[in-house]
C-alpha cells in the first residue's frame, strides 16, 4: 500500500496507536516490532478492541481484510507522519538538548498558546515512534507545533528532523549524556548538531543561547535569535530569586517573571521561551503570564512540602552537568538542614566511574548535613573518594531503610536518572 492511499484512510480515521491495549473505536493500529515484542501478534486483538484498521508487515499475520500489509510498519508510520506534516504546512519548532528540553518545550508551548492554537509533544513521545505519533495528532485547527526530539545514538535527530521538517530549532545545551550510545562528548555534539544541519540545508532559523561556545561552533550559516544572561543577547535576562522559586528579570522591555520552577539553572529555559514568544509576536505581558502559570510536573524541578520535609524533586533524568547544577543551586538556597538523595547517572558508558567521582568530589565542597547515595556507581565513587557512609543499592532498599532512619525537618534534593526510580522514596519523606 502506498502512502497516498494510506493517507486517505488516515483522514477518515485520524487516531493512530501503536498499543493494542489502547485502540479507540475507529483508530488505526500500527504493528511496530520491538526488541522483545512483535506488534503483528496483536493486530487481531487491536481490531477486536475497536481499531478500524491494523497496519502490519508480516504476511502470515494477515487474517482480516482490515489488516493492511506494508513492507515495514515503522518506516510507514514515519512516512505517513512526514506526509501529514507536509500537507498541513504549519510552522514547526523543534527542541532538543542534553538538559532542559522538556521544560523548555513546555514553556515555549505555553507562551505560543497565548496567541496561537498550539500542539506540543505529550509525555515522552520524543523518539522515532513518538515524534510520528505527535505529528499525526495534529489537525487543521492547529496553527503551530512544538516538537521535542530525544536521541541516544548518532543519526536519530537527523531521522526525526527529516520526519518533522522543522522550520525553527532550539538546542538547549550539549553535555555528557547517553555516552553509551554516542561514544563520546564529541559524539553528543555531532548528534545534537544534526538539527542544525537540517535547518541549515532547508533555510531554517535557530534560537540559541548567547555565549555557548559549543553551540556556536556548529551554528555557522544559520540565522540566529539569541537569548541568555549575556547583555548582548537579543533577549537578555538574569535570575533575581532562586528560593523557593526562580524569578527572572528580562532586560528589554524590562519586566520580572515569577516562575514556579525551582533552580536558577532554569534561567535559560525561561529566556528561550521569551525569545520564541517575541519572535512570533506574542505580547510581553502574555509571555510573562504564560511562563508564570506553568507548574512543573513529572518530578522535574518540583518543590513539594510534606508534613515532615520540604522536597525538591528533580528525579526524571540526570547527567553530570544537570546534577552539578542542581547541587550548586541547592547549596546556595538559604535553608537549614539540607540533605541530598542522589541516584546513579545512567548510560555514561566507560566514563561513568570518572564522572560519578567528579560529582562526589563536587558534593564534598558543599555544606550538606546528610548525603544519601543510591546505586552501584555512586557506591563505587563514594568509596573511592571517601567521607560518606550512607550508601543504598537501590531505591527500594533506601525506602525500607527510611523507616528506621527517617528524615525529619530537612530540605531534601532528590536527583537521579529515571531508571533509578527515586520517586519510590517520596512517600517516606
Amino acid at each position: 500500500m502506498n502512502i497516498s492511499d494510506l493517507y486517505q484512510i488516515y483522514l477518515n480515521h485520524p487516531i493512530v496507536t501503536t498499543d493494542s491495549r489502547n485502540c479507540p473505536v475507529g483508530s488505526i493500529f500500527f504493528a511496530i516490532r520491538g526488541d522483545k515484542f512483535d506488534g503483528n501478534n496483536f493486530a487481531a486483538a487491536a481490531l477486536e478492541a475497536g481499531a478500524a484498521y491494523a497496519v502490519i508487515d508480516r504476511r502470515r499475520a494477515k487474517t482480516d481484510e482490515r489488516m493492511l500489509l506494508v513492507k515495514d510498519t515503522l518506516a510507514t508510520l514515519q512516512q505517513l507522519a512526514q506526509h501529514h506534516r507536509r500537507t498541513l504546512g504549519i510552522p514547526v519548532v523543534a527542541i532538543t538538548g542534553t538538559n532542559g528540553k522538556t521544560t523548555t518545550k513546555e514553556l515555549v508551548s505555553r507562551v505560543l498558546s497565548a496567541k496561537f492554537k498550539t500542539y506540543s509533544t505529550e509525555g515522552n513521545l520524543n523518539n522515532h515512534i513518538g515524534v510520528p505519533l505527535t505529528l499525526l495528532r495534529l489537525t487543521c485547527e492547529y496553527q503551530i507545533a512544538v516538537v521535542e526530539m530525544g536521541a541516544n545514538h548518532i543519526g536519530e535527530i537527523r531521522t526525526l528532523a527529516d520526519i518533522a521538517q522543522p522550520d525553527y530549532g532550539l538546542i538547549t545545551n550539549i553535555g555528557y549524556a547517553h555516552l553509551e550510545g554516542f561514544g563520546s562528548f564529541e559524539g553528543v555534539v555531532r548528534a545534537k548538531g544534526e538539527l542544525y544541519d537540517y535547518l541549515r540545508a532547508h533555510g531554517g532559523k535557530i534560537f540559541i543561547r548567547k555565549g555557548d561556545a559549543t553551540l556556536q561552533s556548529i551554528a555557522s550559516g544559520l540565522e540566529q535569535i539569541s537569548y541568555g544572561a549575556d547583555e548582548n543577547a537579543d533577549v537578555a535576562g538574569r535570575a533575581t530569586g532562586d528560593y523557593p522559586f526562580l524569578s527572572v528579570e528580562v532586560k528589554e522591555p524590562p519586566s520580572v517573571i515569577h516562575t514556579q520552577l525551582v533552580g536558577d539553572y532554569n534561567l535559560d529555559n525561561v529566556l528561550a521561551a521569551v525569545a520564541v514568544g517575541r519572535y512570533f509576536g506574542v505580547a510581553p505581558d502574555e509571555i510573562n503570564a504564560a511562563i508564570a502559570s506553568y507548574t512543573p510536573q513529572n518530578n522535574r524541578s518540583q518543590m513539594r512540602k510534606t508534613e515532615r520535609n520540604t522536597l525538591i524533586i528533580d528525579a526524571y533524568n540526570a547527567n553530570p552537568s544537570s546534577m552539578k547544577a542542581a547541587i550548586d543551586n541547592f547549596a546556595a538556597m538559604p535553608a537549614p538542614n539540607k540533605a541530598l538523595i542522589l541516584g546513579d547517572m545512567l548510560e555514561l558508558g566507560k566514563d561513568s566511574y570518572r564522572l560519578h567521582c567528579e560529582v562526589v568530589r563536587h558534593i564534598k565542597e558543599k555544606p550538606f548535613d546528610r548525603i544519601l547515595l543510591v546505586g552501584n556507581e555512586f557506591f563505587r565513587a563514594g568509596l573511592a573518594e571517601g567521607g560518606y557512609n550512607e550508601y543504598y543499592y537501590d531505591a527500594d532498599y533506601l525506602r525500607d531503610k527510611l523507616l528506621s532512619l527517617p528524615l525529619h525537618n530537612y530540605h531534601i534534593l532528590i536527583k537521579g536518572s529515571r531508571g533509578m526510580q527515586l520517586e519510590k522514596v517520596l512517600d517516606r519523606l
Side-chain angles (χ1 to χ4, degrees):
M1 168 167 285
N2 63 47
I3 292 299
S4 296
D5 290 339
L6 182 58
Y7 190 61
Q8 291 305 310
I9 293 174
Y10 162 77
L11 292 177
N12 292 318
H13 302 276
I15 301 175
V16 173
T17 179
T18 59
D19 187 348
S20 62
R21 300 163 298 182
N22 180 23
C23 290
V25 174
S27 60
I28 302 175
F29 170 73
F30 275 76
I32 303 297
R33 301 183 192 226
D35 294 334
K36 298 180 180 179
F37 65 89
D38 183 348
N40 290 281
N41 295 331
F42 304 98
L47 293 173
E48 291 177 8
Y53 292 93
V55 181
I56 62 173
D57 59 8
R58 202 177 72 209
R59 187 173 297 277
R60 290 187 206 175
K62 187 172 175 62
T63 58
D64 190 301
E65 62 180 11
R66 295 173 295 168
M67 294 181 180
L68 309 176
L69 183 64
V70 299
K71 184 176 181 181
D72 185 312
T73 51
L74 175 58
T76 300
L77 176 68
Q78 294 171 341
Q79 291 162 14
L80 180 66
Q82 182 189 60
H83 185 86
H84 181 54
R85 183 268 178 275
R86 213 162 29 224
T87 301
L88 287 177
I90 64 173
V92 171
V93 180
I95 297 177
T96 190
T98 299
N99 304 321
K101 58 181 176 291
T102 298
T103 299
T104 301
K105 178 260 300 182
E106 292 292 329
L107 293 171
V108 167
S109 178
R110 282 291 184 100
V111 166
L112 292 176
S113 293
K115 182 177 181 179
F116 305 99
K117 181 69 173 178
T118 305
Y119 188 82
S120 65
T121 302
E122 295 182 1
N124 60 352
L125 294 178
N126 64 4
N127 64 6
H128 60 298
I129 298 173
V131 168
L133 291 176
T134 295
L135 295 171
L136 290 168
R137 292 178 181 178
L138 288 168
T139 63
C140 59
E141 67 180 303
Y142 289 104
Q143 298 170 288
I144 194 167
V146 183
V147 179
E148 180 180 333
M149 296 181 177
N152 54 24
H153 289 84
I154 291 173
E156 287 184 283
I157 296 294
R158 182 187 307 114
T159 297
L160 299 180
D162 286 340
I163 296 168
Q165 301 179 357
D167 307 283
Y168 305 90
L170 193 161
I171 302 176
T172 56
N173 48 57
I174 299 178
Y176 286 85
H178 301 299
L179 296 183
E180 287 182 354
F182 294 131
S184 63
F185 176 73
E186 291 71 24
V188 183
V189 175
R190 177 182 164 193
K192 299 299 183 182
E194 290 168 359
L195 176 57
Y196 283 1
D197 293 341
Y198 177 90
L199 293 166
R200 187 181 295 107
H202 294 84
K205 300 177 182 180
I206 63 171
F207 300 91
I208 186 170
R209 182 162 66 99
K210 184 78 171 179
D212 190 315
T214 301
L215 291 178
Q216 201 60 58
S217 71
I218 57 175
S220 62
L222 283 162
E223 184 175 342
Q224 303 179 14
I225 301 97
S226 64
Y227 61 87
D230 189 312
E231 291 188 355
N232 295 316
D234 295 321
V235 174
R238 65 186 183 92
T240 61
D242 57 8
Y243 184 79
F245 300 116
L246 169 69
S247 293
V248 175
E249 182 180 312
V250 182
K251 185 177 179 183
E252 290 292 339
S255 64
V256 176
I257 306 173
H258 300 287
T259 81
Q260 299 180 61
L261 295 162
V262 175
D264 58 7
Y265 48 85
N266 279 299
L267 171 65
D268 289 324
N269 303 333
V270 171
L271 293 177
V274 175
V276 175
R278 286 191 185 178
Y279 177 84
F280 283 99
V282 183
D285 59 336
E286 293 183 330
I287 292 174
N288 295 359
I291 294 172
S293 70
Y294 172 65
T295 303
Q297 304 291 329
N298 298 325
N299 300 322
R300 288 184 172 98
S301 297
Q302 289 179 262
M303 176 172 281
R304 182 187 305 175
K305 290 188 177 181
T306 71
E307 294 180 358
R308 288 172 285 177
N309 300 290
T310 298
L311 311 181
I312 299 169
I313 310 165
D314 198 3
Y316 191 87
N317 207 350
N319 54 62
S321 55
S322 69
M323 184 74 79
K324 290 176 183 177
I327 291 169
D328 288 345
N329 183 81
F330 186 53
M333 281 186 175
N337 303 328
K338 294 180 183 178
L340 291 179
I341 297 178
L342 302 183
D344 281 355
M345 303 172 292
L346 305 180
E347 298 184 48
L348 294 179
K350 60 182 177 58
D351 294 303
S352 182
Y353 174 69
R354 174 179 64 82
L355 293 171
H356 279 83
C357 285
E358 286 184 7
V359 170
V360 171
R361 287 196 296 272
H362 195 71
I363 296 169
K364 292 172 72 173
E365 301 171 359
K366 312 295 181 184
F368 299 124
D369 298 289
R370 285 184 68 179
I371 299 168
L372 296 78
L373 302 178
V374 184
N376 185 59
E377 292 301 292
F378 267 131
F379 176 73
R380 293 171 59 219
L383 289 180
E385 297 298 325
Y388 303 108
N389 56 13
E390 292 195 66
Y391 303 110
Y392 303 89
Y393 177 71
D394 58 21
D396 289 317
Y397 184 50
L398 172 58
R399 186 174 185 276
D400 290 339
K401 288 295 182 181
L402 285 172
L403 286 174
S404 56
L405 297 170
L407 288 167
H408 288 281
N409 299 317
Y410 277 91
H411 284 70
I412 307 169
L413 171 63
I414 304 160
K415 178 76 175 173
S417 285
R418 176 68 188 87
M420 296 304 296
Q421 300 180 310
L422 293 183
E423 69 276 4
K424 288 182 176 181
V425 308
L426 296 181
D427 65 333
R428 292 282 194 261
L429 301 172

